[in-house]
Amino acid sequence: MLSRTADHLYWMSRYIERAESLARLIDTHYRMSLLPHASATLARSLRSTLSALHVEAAYHERHAQIAPRAVFEFLSLDREHGASIVNCLRAARENARAVRGSLTSELWETLNSTWLEARSTASHGATQADIGQFIEWVKERSHLTRGVTIGTMLRDEAFHFTRIGTFLERADNTARMLLAREEDLRPGADAGSVPDPYEWSVLLRALSAFEVYRRVHRGVITPINVAHMLILRDDMPRSLLRCCKEVYQNLKSVANEQSAETERHAGEMHAMLHFTTIEDLIELGLPRFLAQFAGRINRLAERISSDFLVAPAQG
Amino acid sequence: MELNPYDEMLAGDGVARVHYRRYDDWLRSQPADRLAQKRAEADALFHRVGITFAVYGQEEGAERLIPFDIVPRVLPHEEWSRLESGLGQRTRALNAFLHDIYHEQHILKAGVIPAEQVLCNAQYRPEMQGLDVPGGIYAHIAGIDIVRDDAGEFRVLEDNLRVPSGVSYMLENRKMMMRLFPELFSGHRIAPIDHYPDVLLENLRSVAPTGVADPTVVLLTAGAHNSAYFEHAFLAQQMGIELVEGQDMFVRDEAVYMRTTRGPQRVDVIYRRIDDDYLDPLVFRPDSMLGVPGLLTAYRAGRVTIANAIGTGVADDKSVYPYVPEMIRFYLGQEPIIGNVKTWMLRRPEDLAYVLAHLAELVVKEVHGAGGYGMLIGPASTAAELAAFRARIIADPDRYIAQPTLALSTCPTFAARQLSPRHIDLRPFVLSGRDVSIVPGGLTRVALRAGSLVVNSSQGGGTKDTWVLESPC
């Protein structure tokens, strides 16, 4: 398949995954904003979220204060803000449009109608009730897109590059969400106590892990247990281990003459997560581990780009 | 000037013609609101599927629907048979002409066409002189625009031999009609057209360089911002071939390769949807980012086929158009089955004098214009517009031809919640390879504004499904 086509497919799925991650984030904060007495926690959580997304500066160009409504709109429907959900959906659709011939018509139509509807919602301006509806809708569209991808696409290279995009984005997202709460994960922090149960349940909900946590851990939510589940559990769809495993397996299916080293990197990341224990990571320092991991994921993405996606100057 | 056009559906007495009778019966049985409802449904579907075209000169990324009309244009079997023979004949002659002028130039030596008309034409490519192309075919895909005059005669208005577009709308319109009105298809014997991509692919494979057993065909597009991008993506997908941009290919040792995730892959046939000027920056426009440096070297070495060939524009130029009937006589020894529209060539002083005296009645076109741009429709123009155009003609008469204002035939069209007659034309697609093949029908374009004669999509035209009935009804 054409390198350019693979590149578009990879970014198409990254942007859809990113839109879903943003929707999950907004969703949990939005729920929090409807509760009484949560405003201090909410503001703190919103601030660390903006910082984890590297969009704090962009936000403050528009708004002086961290206000929930303003943050929600900024992250979801703001067409001027390049990293908003609406613009992620646009980017996903533009990438899909560039390679629509390589997609099943169902997948193309799903992405196209998602964008058409998002654009019309964004142009109408949103009321508070709409934001809740909109992010619910974004999650549904992302589920639908994933379902259509898995349900209709041939299991060929196009599919594998789509999946690589999805899981790299997801791994990056999970690592950043954990990093945003790094102060609770520092070695000095008391692992047994709960710094702020609500913030950690917000995180769990953002990653669709709240019910799962309840099933695998009895008792209170502790940062270390959450970190364990989101880093090392193989059966947890958004955990770093699961994401790395998927990236590695899909990468093996598209291997070419120059990709051996990239495959080795992906395999090493997977093996490290597979064989390590949470105690090892605590000893290393969880924040330090997460920062290293985020860096490695980004370097892996760059390697994949140069091996497969960006065509070398001569053949 | 009073035009009295031929109506495709209704005869002079307002009664449906024989081949439209069944449709007419069905139409009369439809509840008042159903058509409006079906039309809205069609619009929504086209938007969702993304069957759009980009509009030049509008904000970047602006995409619009080509309006689709739900009343089909129906051609009876006998009329189509005649059209089909005429189109095959004309395309054969045009290909023979292209081969001739890029080789011995018999037709110029015989004085049938003035040599300067061809050799001084900007579309004539000296790079093609003496080059043999597979099968001697230059125009592999031709879109021949056909109109019907007030006497009910078909005439060729224009030949499109460079990168004719519109076939995807032909195919999507049929899909849409079958989805909206399945009952009409069980009640009629309508010739199928959805095998077009297969025929096109076979045709392209048949002109691969000699010795290539299993040729790799690609479709070369200018990219997602090109007005016909939907069609490029659609055809590539339907044929199962790669949709490539210039940057995806490179030339090494006189062979063309595309860059894939598994390394370079050889390309044998390029169905190109960009103009000659942009194909190879080393030979044509040096600023072109759309082409492939060195492509012409590979082409001249016979290592890759380009379809349509380079330099076909010299045969579809409006200044050469008036000579096509002569080409048919010269190369095939036959009388043209479909005639031309009467054309004045303004480089001839007597034609120029006539046209300037009758400007308000005529249509004047730029010789190299396309898409309905740079055109004067005399009867629809104000005195000021006529005066301005007259000045342009006098300044450079060679650039123009003139034709009578044709009473293009009309077809009932759903406009403003009711059916009214609107002018139409027809673009059938003629494929030439080892054989000539034409899927029945073509793209019917319709001028949606009452009285308008401009059917181009860039000028507010729409399209209709085109039915060729399989046997006499």
Side-chain angles (χ1 to χ4, degrees), chain A residues 221-247:
Chain A
I221 297 169
T222 72
I224 297 301
N225 280 345
V226 173
H228 176 250
M229 189 170 90
L230 293 177
I231 296 170
L232 295 178
R233 271 196 86 102
D234 182 48
D235 52 4
M236 180 67 210
R238 307 190 82 84
S239 76
L240 301 186
L241 172 56
R242 171 47 61 173
C243 292
C244 283
K245 187 174 188 175
E246 297 278 358
V247 169

PDB file of all heavy atoms in Angstrom, chain A residues 221-247:
ATOM      1  N   ILE A 221     -10.500   3.521  46.595  1.00  0.00           N
ATOM      2  CA  ILE A 221      -9.684   3.742  45.410  1.00  0.00           C
ATOM      3  C   ILE A 221      -8.342   4.308  45.847  1.00  0.00           C
ATOM      4  O   ILE A 221      -8.298   5.377  46.464  1.00  0.00           O
ATOM      5  CB  ILE A 221     -10.395   4.736  44.473  1.00  0.00           C
ATOM      6  CG1 ILE A 221     -11.720   4.130  44.001  1.00  0.00           C
ATOM      7  CG2 ILE A 221      -9.511   5.112  43.293  1.00  0.00           C
ATOM      8  CD1 ILE A 221     -12.625   5.092  43.293  1.00  0.00           C
ATOM      9  N   THR A 222      -7.248   3.606  45.598  1.00  0.00           N
ATOM     10  CA  THR A 222      -5.928   4.156  45.923  1.00  0.00           C
ATOM     11  C   THR A 222      -5.159   4.408  44.628  1.00  0.00           C
ATOM     12  O   THR A 222      -5.298   3.650  43.654  1.00  0.00           O
ATOM     13  CB  THR A 222      -5.109   3.193  46.802  1.00  0.00           C
ATOM     14  OG1 THR A 222      -4.692   2.093  45.979  1.00  0.00           O
ATOM     15  CG2 THR A 222      -5.905   2.688  47.979  1.00  0.00           C
ATOM     16  N   PRO A 223      -4.358   5.460  44.632  1.00  0.00           N
ATOM     17  CA  PRO A 223      -3.601   5.788  43.414  1.00  0.00           C
ATOM     18  C   PRO A 223      -2.757   4.621  42.917  1.00  0.00           C
ATOM     19  O   PRO A 223      -2.682   4.393  41.712  1.00  0.00           O
ATOM     20  CB  PRO A 223      -2.710   6.952  43.868  1.00  0.00           C
ATOM     21  CG  PRO A 223      -3.476   7.594  44.974  1.00  0.00           C
ATOM     22  CD  PRO A 223      -4.180   6.481  45.675  1.00  0.00           C
ATOM     23  N   ILE A 224      -2.156   3.864  43.835  1.00  0.00           N
ATOM     24  CA  ILE A 224      -1.278   2.774  43.384  1.00  0.00           C
ATOM     25  C   ILE A 224      -2.077   1.670  42.696  1.00  0.00           C
ATOM     26  O   ILE A 224      -1.675   1.148  41.659  1.00  0.00           O
ATOM     27  CB  ILE A 224      -0.477   2.192  44.589  1.00  0.00           C
ATOM     28  CG1 ILE A 224       0.434   3.283  45.168  1.00  0.00           C
ATOM     29  CG2 ILE A 224       0.336   0.970  44.178  1.00  0.00           C
ATOM     30  CD1 ILE A 224       1.436   3.866  44.189  1.00  0.00           C
ATOM     31  N   ASN A 225      -3.237   1.364  43.259  1.00  0.00           N
ATOM     32  CA  ASN A 225      -4.078   0.352  42.611  1.00  0.00           C
ATOM     33  C   ASN A 225      -4.533   0.797  41.230  1.00  0.00           C
ATOM     34  O   ASN A 225      -4.575   0.012  40.285  1.00  0.00           O
ATOM     35  CB  ASN A 225      -5.313   0.060  43.474  1.00  0.00           C
ATOM     36  CG  ASN A 225      -4.975  -0.885  44.623  1.00  0.00           C
ATOM     37  OD1 ASN A 225      -3.911  -1.519  44.607  1.00  0.00           O
ATOM     38  ND2 ASN A 225      -5.863  -0.958  45.603  1.00  0.00           N
ATOM     39  N   VAL A 226      -4.897   2.075  41.141  1.00  0.00           N
ATOM     40  CA  VAL A 226      -5.332   2.602  39.845  1.00  0.00           C
ATOM     41  C   VAL A 226      -4.171   2.528  38.856  1.00  0.00           C
ATOM     42  O   VAL A 226      -4.326   2.062  37.720  1.00  0.00           O
ATOM     43  CB  VAL A 226      -5.838   4.054  39.975  1.00  0.00           C
ATOM     44  CG1 VAL A 226      -6.130   4.636  38.592  1.00  0.00           C
ATOM     45  CG2 VAL A 226      -7.098   4.102  40.838  1.00  0.00           C
ATOM     46  N   ALA A 227      -2.993   2.963  39.332  1.00  0.00           N
ATOM     47  CA  ALA A 227      -1.828   2.946  38.449  1.00  0.00           C
ATOM     48  C   ALA A 227      -1.528   1.524  37.991  1.00  0.00           C
ATOM     49  O   ALA A 227      -1.275   1.274  36.813  1.00  0.00           O
ATOM     50  CB  ALA A 227      -0.623   3.539  39.165  1.00  0.00           C
ATOM     51  N   HIS A 228      -1.613   0.589  38.900  1.00  0.00           N
ATOM     52  CA  HIS A 228      -1.362  -0.804  38.540  1.00  0.00           C
ATOM     53  C   HIS A 228      -2.302  -1.263  37.440  1.00  0.00           C
ATOM     54  O   HIS A 228      -1.909  -1.876  36.439  1.00  0.00           O
ATOM     55  CB  HIS A 228      -1.505  -1.696  39.779  1.00  0.00           C
ATOM     56  CG  HIS A 228      -1.360  -3.154  39.458  1.00  0.00           C
ATOM     57  ND1 HIS A 228      -2.413  -4.034  39.498  1.00  0.00           N
ATOM     58  CD2 HIS A 228      -0.285  -3.868  39.048  1.00  0.00           C
ATOM     59  CE1 HIS A 228      -2.003  -5.234  39.121  1.00  0.00           C
ATOM     60  NE2 HIS A 228      -0.698  -5.159  38.857  1.00  0.00           N
ATOM     61  N   MET A 229      -3.577  -0.941  37.630  1.00  0.00           N
ATOM     62  CA  MET A 229      -4.574  -1.392  36.662  1.00  0.00           C
ATOM     63  C   MET A 229      -4.352  -0.739  35.303  1.00  0.00           C
ATOM     64  O   MET A 229      -4.479  -1.394  34.259  1.00  0.00           O
ATOM     65  CB  MET A 229      -5.957  -1.040  37.211  1.00  0.00           C
ATOM     66  CG  MET A 229      -7.067  -1.629  36.408  1.00  0.00           C
ATOM     67  SD  MET A 229      -8.635  -1.425  37.284  1.00  0.00           S
ATOM     68  CE  MET A 229      -9.135   0.124  36.649  1.00  0.00           C
ATOM     69  N   LEU A 230      -4.017   0.552  35.293  1.00  0.00           N
ATOM     70  CA  LEU A 230      -3.918   1.286  34.033  1.00  0.00           C
ATOM     71  C   LEU A 230      -2.554   1.138  33.366  1.00  0.00           C
ATOM     72  O   LEU A 230      -2.367   1.551  32.228  1.00  0.00           O
ATOM     73  CB  LEU A 230      -4.225   2.766  34.246  1.00  0.00           C
ATOM     74  CG  LEU A 230      -5.681   3.042  34.634  1.00  0.00           C
ATOM     75  CD1 LEU A 230      -5.892   4.520  34.901  1.00  0.00           C
ATOM     76  CD2 LEU A 230      -6.641   2.550  33.558  1.00  0.00           C
ATOM     77  N   ILE A 231      -1.608   0.564  34.096  1.00  0.00           N
ATOM     78  CA  ILE A 231      -0.300   0.363  33.469  1.00  0.00           C
ATOM     79  C   ILE A 231      -0.092  -1.107  33.121  1.00  0.00           C
ATOM     80  O   ILE A 231       0.263  -1.446  32.002  1.00  0.00           O
ATOM     81  CB  ILE A 231       0.843   0.845  34.402  1.00  0.00           C
ATOM     82  CG1 ILE A 231       0.749   2.357  34.624  1.00  0.00           C
ATOM     83  CG2 ILE A 231       2.204   0.508  33.784  1.00  0.00           C
ATOM     84  CD1 ILE A 231       1.682   2.889  35.711  1.00  0.00           C
ATOM     85  N   LEU A 232      -0.400  -2.000  34.064  1.00  0.00           N
ATOM     86  CA  LEU A 232       0.093  -3.366  33.927  1.00  0.00           C
ATOM     87  C   LEU A 232      -0.956  -4.441  33.652  1.00  0.00           C
ATOM     88  O   LEU A 232      -0.607  -5.594  33.448  1.00  0.00           O
ATOM     89  CB  LEU A 232       0.872  -3.753  35.201  1.00  0.00           C
ATOM     90  CG  LEU A 232       2.154  -2.934  35.433  1.00  0.00           C
ATOM     91  CD1 LEU A 232       2.817  -3.349  36.732  1.00  0.00           C
ATOM     92  CD2 LEU A 232       3.116  -3.089  34.265  1.00  0.00           C
ATOM     93  N   ARG A 233      -2.228  -4.086  33.665  1.00  0.00           N
ATOM     94  CA  ARG A 233      -3.214  -5.151  33.446  1.00  0.00           C
ATOM     95  C   ARG A 233      -3.383  -5.419  31.956  1.00  0.00           C
ATOM     96  O   ARG A 233      -3.786  -4.557  31.185  1.00  0.00           O
ATOM     97  CB  ARG A 233      -4.557  -4.767  34.047  1.00  0.00           C
ATOM     98  CG  ARG A 233      -4.722  -5.189  35.492  1.00  0.00           C
ATOM     99  CD  ARG A 233      -6.175  -5.144  35.883  1.00  0.00           C
ATOM    100  NE  ARG A 233      -6.855  -6.389  35.543  1.00  0.00           N
ATOM    101  CZ  ARG A 233      -7.140  -7.329  36.444  1.00  0.00           C
ATOM    102  NH1 ARG A 233      -6.812  -7.169  37.705  1.00  0.00           N
ATOM    103  NH2 ARG A 233      -7.751  -8.421  36.080  1.00  0.00           N
ATOM    104  N   ASP A 234      -3.154  -6.662  31.582  1.00  0.00           N
ATOM    105  CA  ASP A 234      -3.221  -7.053  30.174  1.00  0.00           C
ATOM    106  C   ASP A 234      -4.659  -7.056  29.655  1.00  0.00           C
ATOM    107  O   ASP A 234      -4.917  -6.853  28.478  1.00  0.00           O
ATOM    108  CB  ASP A 234      -2.602  -8.451  30.031  1.00  0.00           C
ATOM    109  CG  ASP A 234      -2.598  -8.903  28.580  1.00  0.00           C
ATOM    110  OD1 ASP A 234      -2.177  -8.107  27.726  1.00  0.00           O
ATOM    111  OD2 ASP A 234      -3.030 -10.042  28.317  1.00  0.00           O
ATOM    112  N   ASP A 235      -5.622  -7.297  30.574  1.00  0.00           N
ATOM    113  CA  ASP A 235      -7.018  -7.404  30.122  1.00  0.00           C
ATOM    114  C   ASP A 235      -7.743  -6.066  30.153  1.00  0.00           C
ATOM    115  O   ASP A 235      -8.930  -5.991  29.898  1.00  0.00           O
ATOM    116  CB  ASP A 235      -7.760  -8.444  30.980  1.00  0.00           C
ATOM    117  CG  ASP A 235      -7.594  -8.176  32.471  1.00  0.00           C
ATOM    118  OD1 ASP A 235      -6.964  -7.154  32.831  1.00  0.00           O
ATOM    119  OD2 ASP A 235      -8.080  -8.994  33.277  1.00  0.00           O
ATOM    120  N   MET A 236      -7.051  -4.993  30.441  1.00  0.00           N
ATOM    121  CA  MET A 236      -7.664  -3.670  30.556  1.00  0.00           C
ATOM    122  C   MET A 236      -7.463  -2.946  29.215  1.00  0.00           C
ATOM    123  O   MET A 236      -6.328  -2.625  28.855  1.00  0.00           O
ATOM    124  CB  MET A 236      -6.932  -2.961  31.712  1.00  0.00           C
ATOM    125  CG  MET A 236      -7.408  -1.584  32.008  1.00  0.00           C
ATOM    126  SD  MET A 236      -9.088  -1.650  32.647  1.00  0.00           S
ATOM    127  CE  MET A 236      -9.662  -0.088  32.063  1.00  0.00           C
ATOM    128  N   PRO A 237      -8.557  -2.684  28.476  1.00  0.00           N
ATOM    129  CA  PRO A 237      -8.389  -2.211  27.089  1.00  0.00           C
ATOM    130  C   PRO A 237      -7.601  -0.902  26.945  1.00  0.00           C
ATOM    131  O   PRO A 237      -7.054  -0.642  25.899  1.00  0.00           O
ATOM    132  CB  PRO A 237      -9.818  -2.024  26.594  1.00  0.00           C
ATOM    133  CG  PRO A 237     -10.699  -2.695  27.569  1.00  0.00           C
ATOM    134  CD  PRO A 237      -9.949  -2.853  28.851  1.00  0.00           C
ATOM    135  N   ARG A 238      -7.569  -0.080  27.961  1.00  0.00           N
ATOM    136  CA  ARG A 238      -6.849   1.186  27.816  1.00  0.00           C
ATOM    137  C   ARG A 238      -5.523   1.198  28.583  1.00  0.00           C
ATOM    138  O   ARG A 238      -4.899   2.246  28.704  1.00  0.00           O
ATOM    139  CB  ARG A 238      -7.737   2.357  28.277  1.00  0.00           C
ATOM    140  CG  ARG A 238      -9.114   2.376  27.601  1.00  0.00           C
ATOM    141  CD  ARG A 238      -9.891   3.642  27.874  1.00  0.00           C
ATOM    142  NE  ARG A 238      -9.470   4.706  26.992  1.00  0.00           N
ATOM    143  CZ  ARG A 238      -9.937   4.879  25.766  1.00  0.00           C
ATOM    144  NH1 ARG A 238     -10.846   4.069  25.275  1.00  0.00           N
ATOM    145  NH2 ARG A 238      -9.510   5.874  25.030  1.00  0.00           N
ATOM    146  N   SER A 239      -5.101   0.046  29.122  1.00  0.00           N
ATOM    147  CA  SER A 239      -3.845   0.048  29.887  1.00  0.00           C
ATOM    148  C   SER A 239      -2.646   0.163  28.950  1.00  0.00           C
ATOM    149  O   SER A 239      -2.722  -0.169  27.767  1.00  0.00           O
ATOM    150  CB  SER A 239      -3.717  -1.226  30.716  1.00  0.00           C
ATOM    151  OG  SER A 239      -3.366  -2.307  29.879  1.00  0.00           O
ATOM    152  N   LEU A 240      -1.532   0.628  29.511  1.00  0.00           N
ATOM    153  CA  LEU A 240      -0.323   0.771  28.709  1.00  0.00           C
ATOM    154  C   LEU A 240       0.134  -0.583  28.161  1.00  0.00           C
ATOM    155  O   LEU A 240       0.545  -0.680  27.014  1.00  0.00           O
ATOM    156  CB  LEU A 240       0.797   1.394  29.563  1.00  0.00           C
ATOM    157  CG  LEU A 240       0.488   2.776  30.142  1.00  0.00           C
ATOM    158  CD1 LEU A 240       1.729   3.349  30.838  1.00  0.00           C
ATOM    159  CD2 LEU A 240       0.005   3.739  29.073  1.00  0.00           C
ATOM    160  N   LEU A 241       0.031  -1.635  28.996  1.00  0.00           N
ATOM    161  CA  LEU A 241       0.450  -2.957  28.536  1.00  0.00           C
ATOM    162  C   LEU A 241      -0.390  -3.403  27.345  1.00  0.00           C
ATOM    163  O   LEU A 241       0.133  -3.845  26.327  1.00  0.00           O
ATOM    164  CB  LEU A 241       0.332  -3.980  29.676  1.00  0.00           C
ATOM    165  CG  LEU A 241       0.560  -5.450  29.285  1.00  0.00           C
ATOM    166  CD1 LEU A 241       1.913  -5.648  28.627  1.00  0.00           C
ATOM    167  CD2 LEU A 241       0.436  -6.359  30.512  1.00  0.00           C
ATOM    168  N   ARG A 242      -1.704  -3.263  27.447  1.00  0.00           N
ATOM    169  CA  ARG A 242      -2.590  -3.700  26.372  1.00  0.00           C
ATOM    170  C   ARG A 242      -2.302  -2.902  25.087  1.00  0.00           C
ATOM    171  O   ARG A 242      -2.212  -3.459  24.001  1.00  0.00           O
ATOM    172  CB  ARG A 242      -4.044  -3.555  26.827  1.00  0.00           C
ATOM    173  CG  ARG A 242      -5.113  -3.770  25.775  1.00  0.00           C
ATOM    174  CD  ARG A 242      -4.966  -4.982  24.905  1.00  0.00           C
ATOM    175  NE  ARG A 242      -4.980  -6.245  25.605  1.00  0.00           N
ATOM    176  CZ  ARG A 242      -5.006  -7.437  24.982  1.00  0.00           C
ATOM    177  NH1 ARG A 242      -4.998  -7.512  23.666  1.00  0.00           N
ATOM    178  NH2 ARG A 242      -5.008  -8.535  25.683  1.00  0.00           N
ATOM    179  N   CYS A 243      -2.128  -1.597  25.242  1.00  0.00           N
ATOM    180  CA  CYS A 243      -1.875  -0.752  24.070  1.00  0.00           C
ATOM    181  C   CYS A 243      -0.565  -1.164  23.394  1.00  0.00           C
ATOM    182  O   CYS A 243      -0.488  -1.286  22.175  1.00  0.00           O
ATOM    183  CB  CYS A 243      -1.821   0.729  24.455  1.00  0.00           C
ATOM    184  SG  CYS A 243      -3.411   1.388  24.979  1.00  0.00           S
ATOM    185  N   CYS A 244       0.478  -1.393  24.219  1.00  0.00           N
ATOM    186  CA  CYS A 244       1.776  -1.763  23.646  1.00  0.00           C
ATOM    187  C   CYS A 244       1.705  -3.112  22.953  1.00  0.00           C
ATOM    188  O   CYS A 244       2.330  -3.339  21.923  1.00  0.00           O
ATOM    189  CB  CYS A 244       2.854  -1.798  24.726  1.00  0.00           C
ATOM    190  SG  CYS A 244       3.391  -0.151  25.163  1.00  0.00           S
ATOM    191  N   LYS A 245       0.931  -4.012  23.526  1.00  0.00           N
ATOM    192  CA  LYS A 245       0.787  -5.333  22.937  1.00  0.00           C
ATOM    193  C   LYS A 245       0.137  -5.216  21.550  1.00  0.00           C
ATOM    194  O   LYS A 245       0.575  -5.833  20.586  1.00  0.00           O
ATOM    195  CB  LYS A 245      -0.083  -6.189  23.855  1.00  0.00           C
ATOM    196  CG  LYS A 245      -0.189  -7.635  23.456  1.00  0.00           C
ATOM    197  CD  LYS A 245      -0.960  -8.376  24.546  1.00  0.00           C
ATOM    198  CE  LYS A 245      -0.962  -9.872  24.324  1.00  0.00           C
ATOM    199  NZ  LYS A 245      -1.607 -10.562  25.454  1.00  0.00           N
ATOM    200  N   GLU A 246      -0.915  -4.406  21.480  1.00  0.00           N
ATOM    201  CA  GLU A 246      -1.617  -4.233  20.195  1.00  0.00           C
ATOM    202  C   GLU A 246      -0.702  -3.583  19.156  1.00  0.00           C
ATOM    203  O   GLU A 246      -0.683  -3.985  17.991  1.00  0.00           O
ATOM    204  CB  GLU A 246      -2.874  -3.369  20.381  1.00  0.00           C
ATOM    205  CG  GLU A 246      -3.920  -3.992  21.302  1.00  0.00           C
ATOM    206  CD  GLU A 246      -4.803  -5.005  20.580  1.00  0.00           C
ATOM    207  OE1 GLU A 246      -4.634  -5.201  19.358  1.00  0.00           O
ATOM    208  OE2 GLU A 246      -5.669  -5.606  21.256  1.00  0.00           O
ATOM    209  N   VAL A 247       0.040  -2.552  19.588  1.00  0.00           N
ATOM    210  CA  VAL A 247       0.943  -1.877  18.656  1.00  0.00           C
ATOM    211  C   VAL A 247       1.959  -2.890  18.128  1.00  0.00           C
ATOM    212  O   VAL A 247       2.199  -2.995  16.926  1.00  0.00           O
ATOM    213  CB  VAL A 247       1.668  -0.694  19.335  1.00  0.00           C
ATOM    214  CG1 VAL A 247       2.805  -0.171  18.454  1.00  0.00           C
ATOM    215  CG2 VAL A 247       0.680   0.437  19.632  1.00  0.00           C
TER     216      VAL A 247
END
